[in-house]
Amino acid sequence: MATISFTFASPSKPLNPSIAPKNPTIFNLLPTPSNPQLKRAFYLKSPSISPIFIRALKPQQCRTSSTPITSLFTGIVEEMGQIKQLGYDKPDSFTMKIQAKLILEDINLGDSISVNGTCLTVADFDTQKLEFSVGLAPETLRKTSLIELEQGSLVNLERALRPTTRMGGHFVQGHVDGTGEIVELKTEGDSLWVKVKTAKEILRYIVPKGFIAVDGTSLTVVDVVDEEGCFNFMLVAYTQQNVVIPLKKVGQKVNLEVDILGKYVERLLSSGFVDSIKSS
């Protein structure tokens, strides 16, 4: 970075080199080297300029997203898509191609889409074939139930939240905390009771009448049974027809994301934040 210098002249007289002070005041924003040779180089050497500022950028070869990437959802499933293809198209690249309709209406490359509650990035799409592709990282395959999907499987889809969207569910990030196993499916009238077993590390954040995202669907927890490591919820008739959970069988996995507010509360309590406020 070059040294910045300012020369001051009387405001009543025009700035003229012949009347400028011999020793102008220098405001150096960087430390000045004490060595005379280094000092000379410090002032005289032209700063290097990154090529990005002097070379014309090459035109984009692909479409890019015109909207900022967001990662917030409501848990209100917009439609069910169908898996058309999935697997390793390259040795280290697991890709999933999904057929959908509503999601394709305003899709852009780089958009965030919730697939069974997992926030994934649109890598390719074809509005004529009504399909889009997403890539799955190894960690995603390890932590979610997406690895169990097959060609023809149905998945819950939701686009990222916009500022003008109604907040019909709750804050869902699409960051799956882990999976649960369906241990019971029981009907009552036209409603369906679903009982899910999960790890203690997840169950501790689940509370009766609290929010839970199951395969990306915002649901209300009915009961929590700590002794069994389970919780349950009920699906009304409409929800059963518009999400994938009723299509699953006992023993199959579901993606779980707990309410983020519970994590923040735990973090604040464990960090001593509340105690520091009380003592202040």
Side-chain angles (χ1 to χ4, degrees):
M1 180 182 291
T3 301
I4 301 177
S5 63
F6 298 86
T7 302
F8 294 93
S10 171
S12 60
K13 298 179 180 181
L15 184 61
N16 190 309
S18 63
I19 62 174
K22 295 181 179 180
N23 298 311
T25 303
I26 297 177
F27 292 85
N28 189 3
L29 302 183
L30 297 175
T32 305
S34 58
N35 187 299
Q37 293 182 349
L38 291 178
K39 185 174 182 180
R40 183 174 183 275
F42 184 81
Y43 286 108
L44 300 181
K45 185 178 180 180
S46 299
S48 59
I49 301 177
S50 172
I52 194 172
F53 296 108
I54 58 177
R55 294 179 182 174
L57 296 176
K58 295 181 179 180
Q60 294 292 329
Q61 300 299 317
C62 61
R63 294 165 292 181
T64 57
S65 174
S66 60
T67 57
I69 298 176
T70 56
S71 298
L72 189 63
F73 307 91
T74 67
I76 304 300
V77 177
E78 294 188 274
E79 71 171 319
M80 288 190 287
Q82 186 175 43
I83 302 297
K84 301 300 294 181
Q85 182 180 338
L86 76 167
Y88 288 94
D89 54 352
K90 297 178 182 178
D92 299 319
S93 177
F94 191 97
T95 302
M96 184 162 57
K97 186 176 292 185
I98 305 171
Q99 188 173 47
K101 185 177 180 180
L102 180 63
I103 299 299
L104 272 293
E105 289 182 355
D106 59 354
I107 197 169
N108 291 283
L109 292 178
D111 278 357
S112 294
I113 304 291
S114 172
V115 181
N116 274 4
T118 307
C119 180
L120 300 174
T121 303
V122 176
D124 189 24
F125 66 89
D126 190 323
T127 55
Q128 299 298 319
K129 295 181 179 180
L130 295 178
E131 60 187 28
F132 68 96
S133 297
V134 293
L136 278 70
E139 180 69 1
T140 304
L141 294 173
R142 284 191 293 265
K143 293 293 181 67
T144 71
S145 64
L146 298 181
I147 190 64
E148 296 184 346
L149 295 174
E150 301 174 348
Q151 185 174 352
S153 296
L154 297 179
V155 289
N156 293 329
L157 300 176
E158 181 190 356
R159 290 167 291 187
L161 177 65
R162 286 181 172 179
T164 56
T165 304
R166 289 189 178 92
M167 193 65 194
H170 70 286
F171 291 117
V172 178
Q173 295 178 296
H175 302 163
V176 176
D177 292 299
T179 60
E181 180 185 340
I182 298 176
V183 295
E184 185 178 69
L185 295 169
K186 184 174 63 176
T187 59
E188 182 179 351
D190 62 353
S191 296
L192 177 68
W193 283 96
V194 183
K195 190 174 185 179
V196 177
K197 185 175 183 178
T198 189
K200 292 181 180 179
E201 292 75 14
I202 296 178
L203 194 66
R204 67 179 180 178
Y205 296 110
I206 303 175
V207 297
K209 306 303 181 287
F211 286 120
I212 183 76
V214 181
D215 276 347
T217 306
S218 177
L219 298 168
T220 302
V221 176
V222 178
D223 292 309
V224 177
V225 185
D226 291 308
E227 298 77 12
E228 300 178 13
C230 298
F231 70 95
N232 64 4
F233 54 89
M234 179 178 279
L235 301 176
V236 297
Y238 176 84
T239 306
Q240 293 177 52
Q241 298 169 6
N242 291 278
V243 301
V244 301
I245 300 171
L247 302 176
K248 295 191 173 183
K249 301 176 182 179
V250 171
Q252 285 191 283
K253 293 181 179 180
V254 289
N255 290 326
L256 301 176
E257 181 186 335
V258 299
D259 190 351
I260 188 65
L261 297 180
K263 293 181 180 180
Y264 281 126
V265 171
E266 181 185 61
R267 179 66 174 172
L268 290 173
L269 291 176
S270 63
S271 65
F273 177 77
V274 176
D275 295 333
S276 64
I277 293 179
K278 290 181 179 180
S279 60
S280 60

